[in-house]
Amino acid sequence: MRTLQRKSIEYRKTILRIIKAANAGHTAGSLSCIDILNVLYNYVMDITPQNFSSPQRDRYIQSKGHSVEALYVVLADKGFFPAAELDTLGRFRSHFVGHPTRKVPGIEHNTGALGHGLSVSVGLALGAKYRGSPHRVFTLLGDGELAEGSSWEALMAAGHYQLDNLVIIVDRNRLQITGSTEDVMGLEPLADKFAAFGCAVRSCDGNDVEALTQALEQLPFVRGKPNLLLAQTTKGKGVSFMEDVARWHHRVPADEEYAAALRELETAEMTL
Amino acid sequence: MIAPAIGRANLEVFADTVLELARQDPSIMVVTSDSRGSGKLVPFGEELPDQIIEMGIAEQNLVGVAAGLAMSGATVFAVSPACFLTARALEQIKNDVAYSDHPVKLIGISAGVSYGALGATHHSIHDFAALRAINNVGIVVPADNFETREAIRAALAHARPLYIRYGKKPMLDLHSPDTRFEIGEAIVIREGEDLTFIATGEPTGRALLAAQNLEADGISCRVISMHTVKPLDMEALLYAARHSSAIITVEEHSIYGGLGEACAAILLQHGICLPFKIVAIPDDYTVTGDQLEIFDHYGISAAGLSAAARDLLAKG
Ligand SMILES: Cc1ncc(C[n+]2csc(CCOP(=O)(O)OP(=O)(O)O)c2C)c(N)n1
Ligand SMILES: [Mg+2]
């Protein structure tokens, strides 16, 4: 567990570094979901550079594509490409653009327009069932993203086809660009809505790697039902002045802010 | 030769103009999809909270709701990034706005490749083509702050559905404040006989710079701001074709289905054949980077357009 916790801090530092260097990025959303990606890639999913062309590998679709920095950092750590390539983020002609694309090794699908990933994941999960393959399909959604009606069309299909090989994780940080999700377009009672659509719903602290590993230890949650994990997260997690502050959605830290953020993360690392 | 002054982002000018208008006209409603920050509409929301409605990240709902509000007597501006507004909500635009003929003002922000390094999901280089093929929706693409302000004012009085799109970067000022602006009427920014640049939107300033460069080489260019892509100002186009030896069209859009093809179709159907080139974004994996880097890459730049002009005249 200590190793995973240490990784989360390292990942956060790299996320901030590449966003700072590119002078662009979705800072708070990446910090919000990095613990989820950490646990998925290092504990739960069977996806490696070695098996990436095997039909049996697990699949990961990041529907909240804007938090691409978190994904790039984890894929670099898994060895999908040399970490130095991260420094080209946002540069002219770099494949490391501000949303996931298949030009980057390890990425399954191009995302960035919200409300697409769940439908594609339903297709992948149906495909696995039809082919009799045991692999699972994981997808990460933003909570603000759930206002897109297509998400609910996909959920209806997931329940209808009893896709228990589909694992839907919602980064429930309660913020979107404009402010609180509940002020912008209320989602609650969210767990009840998912349950009503036929999902097996679990909730856990989405910034606690131990809680995440426990929640995802046993899949499916219930046979014959799509798995839905409400990951209760804090947007901007790990940097006190970014936590739960809407404007950090796509703000780049100024020099002093960057230095202060790194200090906080280094302190956290030392006290681990 | 005077270099044009640099103004503000059209995005900001839109937000100021709509706030000014809405203060005087309580029927004006702005509808957003988690886009008020991107649309620079936070001050609008603070000053006129009853005239802004938030839909969350739901562009299809945004456009459907806008139609319903328009049917209830509101003057509606539906504001969302151009990429999502004209792709995600295309059927709502087609049926609920255009076909049902409700005069919603569809405002596509950060259009074209303004979101350069965010990648193709965030580019809108399909929107002219998609909306040109939908009956009963006009397309206006302001080139500078003046055109943006005037387009928004003109939209108020416009009784049909309208799509207006612009970007995020500060724009060169191309017009004097007493210039006449009408939807559907092109503006001649500069006269010239050898070649005409017909441009729309943000590349227009670059066409003007190219014309100024070419003047030094003794090549005289007319520059037309074709701010209304639909309906196209046929008269201005035909006049240009009859009074210059070549035409180059310039747009922040796919080479397919945009301004260039619209002009070519009209010319050919009037029996006019002259050296003609469409400068736009080719059907390829669009490069990413800053908007201006992308422009430079595809020759939508003073240097690129000057070279294209020399080339075309040499061939012609
Ligand atoms: C279809 C679509 N509409 C709008 C956007 C612009 N956008 C990018 S991120 C974002 C907010 C996302 O909020 P949420 O889903 O809660 O993500 P998180 O809080 O995890 O960053 C919006 C509106 C988009 N990318 N796609
Ligand atoms: Mg959120």
Side-chain angles (χ1 to χ4, degrees), chain A residues 67-95:
Chain A
S67 300
V68 73
E69 294 86 9
L71 180 58
Y72 288 157
V73 165
V74 174
L75 291 177
D77 184 45
K78 293 289 284 181
F80 277 96
F81 47 81
E85 290 186 15
L86 292 173
D87 297 327
T88 68
L89 175 67
R91 297 236 190 103
F92 181 56
R93 303 205 84 163
S94 167
H95 289 318

Side-chain angles (χ1 to χ4, degrees), chain A residues 84-132:
Chain A
E85 290 186 15
L86 292 173
D87 297 327
T88 68
L89 175 67
R91 297 236 190 103
F92 181 56
R93 303 205 84 163
S94 167
H95 289 318
F96 291 80
V97 299
H99 292 91
T101 88
R102 299 174 63 205
K103 300 255 174 189
V104 172
I107 291 180
E108 295 278 359
H109 187 67
N110 297 6
T111 53
L114 296 166
H116 286 248
L118 190 47
S119 294
V120 175
S121 301
V122 165
L124 283 166
L126 276 170
K129 291 256 179 204
Y130 281 130
R131 286 167 166 257

